[in-house]
Amino acid sequence: MARLFLPVLILACVLPPAQADEHTVVVTPGKTDGACVSVDSAGRRVQSMACLNEKLLPAGEVASRQAPSLSTAETNLQRPSNQLGLYNRAALEHRMGNAFGKSVTPQRPPPPAPASPLLPPR
């Protein structure tokens, strides 16, 4: 089986790639002089709006510009869902145990056997 894998791998690397269809996105690298990256999607050229907005700013403002501060509501939106008390699939799977997807009651260990008052404790 290993003898068959190596020629197939070499053949796959040597063959030219298939033609791109209209849904393929081609990213062209930008120039090194700070040009924006343009993307060709379905025959239309699209440029990054953030990059174009920075190009329209005066030269001194780009370096001294600070990131906008986030409000409390925006900060809360960036917190993970389990800290906000929202649905979290991983936490639900952990809580349900092996009953996840089978039952609405979570997995629980079997109840302990009652201790006999006549036998000494172990």
Side-chain angles (χ1 to χ4, degrees), residues 2-87:
R3 291 181 182 175
L4 181 63
F5 178 71
L6 187 60
V8 170
L9 179 66
I10 292 172
L11 185 63
C13 293
V14 173
L15 289 177
Q19 287 289 55
D21 59 355
E22 69 270 0
H23 300 294
T24 303
V25 176
V26 178
V27 178
T28 57
K31 298 175 186 169
T32 58
D33 61 354
C36 299
V37 174
S38 63
V39 178
D40 184 50
S41 174
R44 295 179 52 211
R45 291 189 72 102
V46 181
Q47 289 188 333
S48 169
M49 293 306 287
C51 180
L52 292 175
N53 285 336
E54 284 195 14
K55 283 190 161 218
L56 292 174
L57 288 174
E61 286 187 31
V62 174
S64 64
R65 195 176 81 188
Q66 294 179 352
S69 62
L70 298 176
S71 68
T72 306
E74 290 172 326
T75 306
N76 286 342
L77 286 174
Q78 293 180 350
R79 293 172 55 194
S81 62
N82 58 351
Q83 288 182 2
L84 296 173
L86 299 174
Y87 170 78

Side-chain angles (χ1 to χ4, degrees), residues 108-113:
R108 297 287 181 248

